Amino acid sequence: MTTEAADTAELLGRARAALERYLEVHVDDDGALTFAHAGVPGVIQSTQLAEGLTVLSLTCVVAWDLPDKPGLAASAAERAGEGLFGTLGVTHTERGLDLTLRYAFPAQGLDIPALGTLLMLVISTASQLRAELVPAG
């Protein structure tokens, strides 16, 4: 195993341990971690951007096929910005709007409790956005 592969695998293992304190986590064949929180599916991947700089990338699918109403994307982006963690992605499709919340950060050196807290800050922001945008039922 290369140093890059070992570093990314080690970081994903720590992310898994941190997230399992709060959620059920699945490991995909490619090593990515998948989970769901309050109807929001998500994935965590690890990448080495440069030697000594390995990052975790967290993507949450907030909502899909929302009505493409004027102002909805801007309103959601403003709300996501209040959480301070993550960037809202808006995709216009034939069926409406799809929204994702993404956050990438260097996680080496964070202990398990701190890593879990940081991950859950992003995930809970995504879940709160979904609750505000998608009617229950």
Side-chain angles (χ1 to χ4, degrees), residues 4-20 25-34 43-47 54-58 107-108 112 115 119:
E4 179 179 348
D7 289 348
T8 58
E10 186 272 334
L11 193 51
L12 279 172
R14 291 180 46 247
R16 179 181 181 183
L19 202 53
E20 283 180 332
V25 178
H26 303 280
V27 180
D28 291 350
D29 291 340
D30 65 356
L33 308 177
T34 58
V43 63
I44 298 174
Q45 298 169 305
S46 180
T47 305
T54 304
V55 299
L56 285 179
S57 174
L58 168 60
Q108 290 174 313
I112 299 294
L115 183 54
L119 291 170

Side-chain angles (χ1 to χ4, degrees), residues 33-115:
L33 308 177
T34 58
F35 60 89
H37 180 263
V40 175
V43 63
I44 298 174
Q45 298 169 305
S46 180
T47 305
Q48 186 179 67
L49 296 180
E51 188 172 332
L53 180 58
T54 304
V55 299
L56 285 179
S57 174
L58 168 60
T59 301
C60 295
V61 181
V62 174
W64 51 95
D65 299 341
L66 290 175
D68 198 348
K69 297 178 185 174
L72 179 64
S75 172
E78 183 178 325
R79 171 61 186 89
E82 292 171 2
L84 301 178
F85 293 99
T87 301
L88 189 71
V90 178
T91 303
H92 297 269
T93 70
E94 293 175 2
R95 295 180 306 272
L97 291 179
D98 295 346
L99 303 176
T100 57
L101 188 66
R102 296 185 176 107
Y103 188 61
F105 60 99
Q108 290 174 313
L110 289 177
D111 63 17
I112 299 294
L115 183 54

